[in-house]
Amino acid sequence: MNLLLLSNSRSPDGGYLTHAGEAIREAAAGRKRAVFIPYAGVTIRWDDYTQKVQGVFLPLGIEVATTHNSENPAALVAQAQIIVVGGGNTFSLLKCCRELGLLPLITRQVQAGAPYIGWSAGANLASPTICTTNDMPIVEPGGFDALGLVPFQLNPHYTNVLPEGHQGETRDQRIAEYLAANPAQRVLGLPEGDWLRVAGSQIKLYGPRPAQWFRAGQEPQTIDAPCTLSLG
């Protein structure tokens, strides 16, 4: 498989995916046509969302079609050269993909070699489930099972920082709750600015910040980028 899973879309300079341009070009592997799945967008019109993404991909020589403007979204995904899944609300994304029958089609295309490029909610969707998203469950997605393109859970936008005086749980505490209920799983806390590249069975971490690797009953392990993840 060929995956690019980004924690976030907004770059430190304020640009949209400007930090990811070379990674996107490398993951695209010379392919020139992508299908964008915009359903994580809730407070942005899908037409506007598509234009933002086209503004990133067209300068890289990649044309972008979108499922929401297609008479047959399933057929579009089933023939996709590149699959691009944007961020927003993961519950909305999963609900729409499930209702349109896109999940097995995405999996089939990616297993056949189509690059998968996702950020935030789009990265969450690549996990076995969406249970480690940070998003509010604003819609009922018909179950939490997702694509399972990677064999562990992702937590994009990972940070364990709390504002002074805030009395809620830290992110580490929330992940510990998930692992207490799902002790066989593992979670990768992916900080903003970081991304994963999956090529075949090799998974590499890139970016400016250390990630955190969580297992049930163990202290979080700090992982400095760049590195190859060990799943043992």
Side-chain angles (χ1 to χ4, degrees):
M1 289 191 294
N2 179 6
L3 315 178
L4 172 60
L5 306 176
L6 297 132
S7 179
N8 59 294
S9 60
R10 189 63 60 189
S11 302
D13 62 3
Y16 192 72
L17 289 171
T18 54
H19 67 294
E22 286 306 311
I24 291 171
R25 188 194 304 274
E26 190 267 337
R31 302 184 184 210
K32 299 300 183 182
R33 295 195 303 276
V35 173
F36 177 52
I37 299 174
Y39 305 125
V42 176
T43 58
I44 183 173
R45 293 174 63 249
W46 291 340
D47 283 344
D48 295 338
Y49 201 172
T50 300
Q51 289 179 1
K52 286 182 67 174
V53 172
Q54 288 171 333
V56 173
F57 281 75
L58 286 176
L60 301 176
I62 301 170
E63 297 181 0
V64 178
T66 178
T67 53
H68 82 278
N69 280 336
S70 173
E71 294 182 359
N72 192 337
L76 189 65
V77 170
Q79 300 172 19
Q81 290 187 2
I82 306 167
I83 295 172
V84 180
V85 186
N89 185 277
T90 311
F91 293 90
S92 175
L93 172 63
L94 181 58
K95 179 179 186 290
C96 292
C97 286
R98 194 185 305 284
E99 290 177 348
L100 292 169
L102 301 186
L103 296 175
L105 300 176
I106 294 171
T107 299
R108 187 181 71 187
Q109 284 299 99
V110 173
Q111 290 177 342
Y116 179 100
I117 300 172
W119 53 91
S120 190
N124 274 321
L125 194 69
S127 301
T129 76
I130 66 165
C131 290
T132 50
T133 178
N134 305 311
D135 302 331
M136 288 186 177
I138 61 173
V139 293
E140 165 56 61
F144 298 140
D145 290 346
L147 295 172
L149 301 178
V150 291
F152 51 87
Q153 293 291 127
L154 282 170
N155 179 242
H157 305 283
Y158 170 78
T159 177
N160 199 45
V161 175
L162 282 183
E164 184 177 355
H166 184 79
Q167 302 303 317
E169 288 81 0
T170 65
R171 187 75 56 81
D172 285 13
Q173 288 172 318
R174 290 301 192 193
I175 293 174
E177 291 174 344
Y178 168 79
L179 290 171
N182 302 273
Q185 281 287 1
R186 293 163 291 187
V187 181
L188 182 70
L190 194 63
E192 293 199 344
D194 284 9
W195 65 92
L196 292 182
R197 278 288 290 121
V198 180
S201 60
Q202 189 175 71
I203 305 175
K204 290 188 175 182
L205 170 71
Y206 295 94
R209 296 182 176 89
Q212 294 291 316
W213 193 233
F214 297 87
R215 295 178 174 86
Q218 301 182 26
E219 290 295 316
Q221 176 188 358
T222 299
I223 305 174
D224 292 318
C227 73
T228 300
L229 294 189
S230 173
L231 301 183

